[in-house]
Amino acid sequence: MLKLKYHSDLIECGTDEAGRGCLAGPVTAAAVILKDDFKNEILNDSKKLSEKNRDLLRILIEKDAISYAVSHVMMEEIDKINILNASILGMHRSIKQLKTIPEHIAVDGNKFKPYLKIPHQCIIKGDGKYLNIAAASILAKTARDEFMAKIHEEYPMYNWKQNKGYPTKQHREAIEKYGITKYHRKSFRLLPEQLNLDI
């Protein structure tokens, strides 16, 4: 089982995002404060779990967490401020929505900007080390997948229900054939031939 949190004697939230490498849809971030007696054998980095387990864990986390919040940062904002800044903005927005103010923030990855004056720690692959970051990764991933399934109904030809907006061969082919939608990130290199150009 993963460790509960990085700082054992402080009220700590874990934060993570999903959808950073996608061509379409928002980047989604979550922040979670777990109870000190929270335990779960299955909870891990959302990428290592089946969809079924992620959905089950989402219900459990939402029921048991002291506080949690999820934020989408939409395509227009991503295009304006870039994906790294959008990811951090999403984490900040989620932390801001928590009903309990954390004394420490455990961040998945190696980049973050200070939030208020709350100390933070960046942890590479933190979602595979700490339960609170793993819980945030589950909430971010499931909320984003839900969003992508919803917009799939509007534009089924891109098959977002399955590829979630990631740059699969099929997704790039659909962009080539049908062009882009309001859900595509215009600042991203969307087609193979763009990858060789310095745009």
Side-chain angles (χ1 to χ4, degrees):
M1 197 168 76
L2 311 187
K3 289 177 184 166
L4 178 69
K5 53 187 179 177
Y6 182 82
H7 229 300
S8 57
D9 51 354
L10 296 176
I11 297 168
E12 180 179 275
C13 77
T15 187
D16 197 5
E17 49 67 35
R20 218 166 125 174
C22 295
L23 304 180
V27 63
T28 304
V32 182
I33 300 174
L34 295 172
K35 294 173 184 170
D36 280 345
D37 61 354
F38 182 89
K39 288 183 173 70
N40 191 288
E41 300 287 337
I42 315 167
L43 182 53
N44 206 325
D45 166 4
S46 64
K47 295 182 287 297
K48 294 178 181 167
L49 298 169
S50 66
E51 190 176 345
K52 186 184 167 195
N53 278 341
R54 285 197 298 266
D55 290 342
L56 289 170
L57 285 163
R58 176 191 194 172
I59 295 162
L60 190 78
I61 294 159
E62 289 177 351
K63 185 170 72 76
D64 281 355
I66 289 171
S67 187
Y68 70 89
V70 177
S71 304
H72 296 301
V73 179
M74 293 301 175
M75 301 63 62
E76 305 77 23
E77 274 188 292
I78 294 170
D79 289 337
K80 219 175 281 177
I81 63 174
N82 84 37
I83 188 62
L84 175 64
N85 286 324
S87 301
I88 294 169
L89 177 64
M91 292 185 202
H92 281 199
R93 281 181 183 163
S94 297
I95 297 163
K96 189 181 180 181
Q97 289 174 57
L98 294 171
K99 292 184 182 76
T100 302
I101 298 168
E103 299 167 331
H104 189 260
I105 302 164
V107 184
D108 184 61
N110 61 352
K111 295 269 196 313
F112 194 67
K113 290 175 186 168
Y115 177 74
L116 301 178
K117 288 183 178 165
I118 303 169
H120 70 268
Q121 179 67 44
C122 290
I123 303 145
I124 292 165
K125 294 197 164 65
D127 49 3
K129 293 172 183 168
Y130 296 98
L131 289 171
N132 58 2
I133 302 179
S137 87
I138 296 285
L139 296 192
K141 170 82 176 135
T142 51
R144 191 178 183 283
D145 285 359
E146 201 170 66
F147 183 94
M148 296 310 291
K150 203 163 86 181
I151 64 171
H152 168 88
E153 303 304 319
E154 219 177 318
Y155 295 99
M157 59 283 243
Y158 299 94
N159 200 14
W160 291 330
K161 199 172 182 178
Q162 196 179 353
N163 64 46
K164 312 296 192 273
Y166 280 94
T168 59
K169 185 170 178 280
Q170 183 196 28
H171 188 185
R172 289 202 194 272
E173 282 169 359
I175 293 169
E176 210 156 2
K177 188 172 176 185
Y178 303 105
I180 62 168
T181 67
K182 60 186 177 185
Y183 297 110
H184 281 97
R185 302 173 184 176
K186 295 174 181 65
S187 58
F188 278 50
R189 293 168 178 187
L190 301 172
L191 292 172
E193 60 267 24
Q194 286 179 289
L195 300 177
N196 305 319
L197 302 174
D198 195 21
I199 295 170

